[in-house]
């Protein structure tokens, strides 16, 4: 059963990536990147929807329908032998990771699971952090977890978010390693991902300990590799920016991730006018929605930085 659910979660997640990373190339590297972007886009969509509606079965069922429609629209991409190979590999990875985790431990009962429950039952709540301060600095991945609690997966869907990030990054790195070996390219990038994979397999092999920290670090490794792969490609600036913002919204202490898009911007002399397209709206909307959510929940743009809090809102509680 877990294998089937893993297969379905991969199939339903990837199609949303076309908003940001729509590529015609079909290989494991591209699909793994699209899986990561799919998680990112769905999380962002759910964040925005929650301003108006609870993330109930009506919302999550609508996402399933949209995903199926995208698959049918781009069937040459999503109904192919390469895609089938990819989803089988990913589902096996997911099954292995989840089956070795007997319980979802890290901070789950304290605020992860309660916050997901709130998302599923309520639209955004004014001053929610006054109920528990941890609700002011939740991860954006909790929004993906809330979206995965649907008619197909039920409550079991909430465990997939962090695992999808992990298997997406690992598959991405393994496909790069294979590419470098075939071309006999043993530069800095090869050794970087080689040693990162060793670190992952040695230190990040227990899914029950992932919490919000592990996916943020997985994404940071992915951002570093993606930056190296596209150091001179100005067309990838927005994707690099979005990944860095998403890392920030998972773990605020990784704020230095923003150095990557800043360096990429100046190295490639990206022109502002070239950014004015639909893709650029993704990072703008994402960071704007997140900051607004923070203010509504906690009265702070970034909690708990006192200088970034408003003290004149009815739900302000600067004593905390």
């Amino acid at each position: 059963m877990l294998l089937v659910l893993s297969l379905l979660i991969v199939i339903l997640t990837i199609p949303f990536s076309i908003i940001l990373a729509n590529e015609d190339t079909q290989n494991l590297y591209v699909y793994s990147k699209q899986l990561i972007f799919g998680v990112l886009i769905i999380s962002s969509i759910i964040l925005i929807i929650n301003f108006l509606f609870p993330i109930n079965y009506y919302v999550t069922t609508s996402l399933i329908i949209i995903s199926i429609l995208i698959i049918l629209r781009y069937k040459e991409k999503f109904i192919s032998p390469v895609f089938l190979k990819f989803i089988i590999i990913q589902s096996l990875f997911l099954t292995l990771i989840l089956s070795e985790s007997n319980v979802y431990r890290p901070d789950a009962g304290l605020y992860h699971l309660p916050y997901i429950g709130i998302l599923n039952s309520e639209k955004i709540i004014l001053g929610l952090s006054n109920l528990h301060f941890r609700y002011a600095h939740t991860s954006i991945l909790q929004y993906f977890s809330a979206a995965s609690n649907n008619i197909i997966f039920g409550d079991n869907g909430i465990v997939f978010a962090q695992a999808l990030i992990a298997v997406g990054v690992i598959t991405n790195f393994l496909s790069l390693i294979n590419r470098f070996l075939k071309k006999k390219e043993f530069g800095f990038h090869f050794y970087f991902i080689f040693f990162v994979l060793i670190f992952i397999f040695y230190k990040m092999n227990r899914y029950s300990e992932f919490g919000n920290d592990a996916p943020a670090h997985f994404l940071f490794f992915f951002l570093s590799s993606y930056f190296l792969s596209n150091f001179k490609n100005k067309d990838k600036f927005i994707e690099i920016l979005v990944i860095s913002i998403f890392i920030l919204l998972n773990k605020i202490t990784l704020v230095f991730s923003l150095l990557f898009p800043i360096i990429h911007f100046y190295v490639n002399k990206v022109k502002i006018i070239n950014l004015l397209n639909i893709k650029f709206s993704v990072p703008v909307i994402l960071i704007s929605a997140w900051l607004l959510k923070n203010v509504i929940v906690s009265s702070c743009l970034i909690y708990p930085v006192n200088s970034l809090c408003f003290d004149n809102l009815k739900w302000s509680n600067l004593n905390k």
Side-chain angles (χ1 to χ4, degrees):
M1 186 61 179
L2 179 57
L3 181 62
V4 174
L5 293 179
S6 298
L7 193 75
L8 289 174
I9 194 72
V10 174
I11 293 173
L12 295 173
T13 299
I14 286 186
F16 284 92
S17 66
I18 65 167
I19 296 175
L20 190 64
N22 185 18
E23 296 183 26
D24 294 328
T25 306
Q26 297 183 18
N27 55 48
L28 296 184
Y29 173 80
V30 171
Y31 282 130
S32 60
K33 180 183 75 170
Q34 291 178 332
L35 177 61
I36 296 168
F37 280 122
V39 174
L40 185 156
I41 294 297
I42 291 175
S43 302
S44 305
I45 291 172
I46 294 302
L47 168 64
I48 295 168
I49 291 176
N50 191 233
F51 282 95
L52 302 173
F53 305 102
I55 312 306
N56 52 34
Y57 274 13
Y58 295 107
V59 172
T60 56
T61 302
S62 299
L63 287 178
I64 293 173
I65 294 172
I66 292 172
S67 182
I68 294 172
L69 291 175
I70 295 173
I71 291 173
L72 294 176
R73 169 63 178 83
Y74 297 93
K75 53 182 177 292
E76 68 283 352
K77 178 192 296 289
F78 299 117
I79 304 177
S80 69
V82 180
F83 185 67
L84 178 61
K85 176 183 176 181
F86 173 77
I87 61 175
I88 290 174
I89 292 173
Q90 297 305 92
S91 59
L92 289 172
F93 273 180
L94 283 171
T95 302
L96 178 63
I97 289 175
L98 294 172
S99 63
E100 291 299 316
S101 174
N102 59 343
V103 64
Y104 187 59
R105 290 193 183 95
D107 295 330
L110 184 60
Y111 73 105
H112 290 180
L113 300 182
Y115 189 72
I116 294 169
I118 291 171
L119 294 176
N120 285 141
S121 60
E122 304 287 341
K123 66 179 182 179
I124 193 168
I125 300 174
L126 288 172
L128 180 62
S129 66
N130 291 319
L131 183 63
H132 196 300
F133 74 92
R134 290 184 182 272
Y135 292 150
H137 51 76
T138 53
S139 164
I140 194 170
L141 277 180
Q142 263 83 72
Y143 287 83
F144 184 91
S145 295
S148 301
N149 181 6
N150 54 41
I151 59 173
I152 295 178
F153 305 105
D155 294 340
N156 292 326
I158 65 177
V159 305
F160 282 104
Q162 289 84 352
L164 284 170
I165 293 293
V167 299
V169 173
I170 291 171
T171 303
N172 188 270
F173 283 8
L174 289 175
S175 62
L176 275 176
I177 288 284
N178 183 56
R179 181 190 300 178
F180 287 137
L181 289 174
K182 285 182 176 180
K183 294 182 178 180
K184 296 183 179 180
E185 295 178 357
F186 303 105
F188 175 77
H189 194 182
F190 170 83
Y191 289 106
F192 171 76
I193 58 177
F194 177 76
F195 286 111
V196 165
L197 281 173
I198 292 176
F199 175 79
I200 289 172
F201 293 139
Y202 179 67
K203 294 289 290 183
M204 303 173 74
N205 54 19
R206 289 190 178 185
Y207 188 61
S208 58
E209 298 177 356
F210 270 23
N212 293 331
D213 293 348
H217 286 88
F218 271 110
L219 287 169
F220 181 76
F221 296 145
F222 174 68
L223 173 64
S224 302
S225 172
Y226 201 61
F227 177 79
L228 291 171
S229 295
N230 300 283
F231 185 72
K232 286 289 187 178
N233 187 349
K234 65 175 63 178
D235 294 332
K236 298 298 182 181
F237 169 74
I238 293 177
E239 294 178 17
I240 291 173
L241 175 62
V242 171
I243 300 167
S244 64
I245 290 175
F246 198 74
I247 292 171
L248 187 65
L249 304 190
N250 275 285
K251 199 70 178 174
I252 190 66
T253 52
L254 293 178
V255 64
F256 54 85
S257 301
L258 294 175
L259 289 174
F260 287 94
I262 291 173
I263 294 171
H264 192 271
F265 182 88
Y266 282 103
V267 167
N268 293 284
K269 298 178 180 178
V270 179
K271 295 181 180 179
I272 298 296
I273 193 170
N274 294 335
L275 298 177
L276 301 179
N277 55 52
I278 190 170
K279 279 190 175 183
F280 188 60
S281 65
V282 175
V284 172
I285 293 173
L286 177 57
I287 194 65
S288 300
W290 187 258
L291 292 176
L292 179 59
K293 185 274 298 183
N294 287 348
V295 172
I296 292 175
V297 168
S298 68
S299 79
C300 301
L301 287 169
I302 299 177
Y303 183 93
V305 182
N306 205 297
S307 59
L308 296 177
C309 296
F310 301 95
D311 60 1
N312 58 347
L313 300 175
K314 289 185 178 181
W315 58 94
S316 298
N317 190 351
L318 299 191
N319 291 330
K320 288 191 176 182

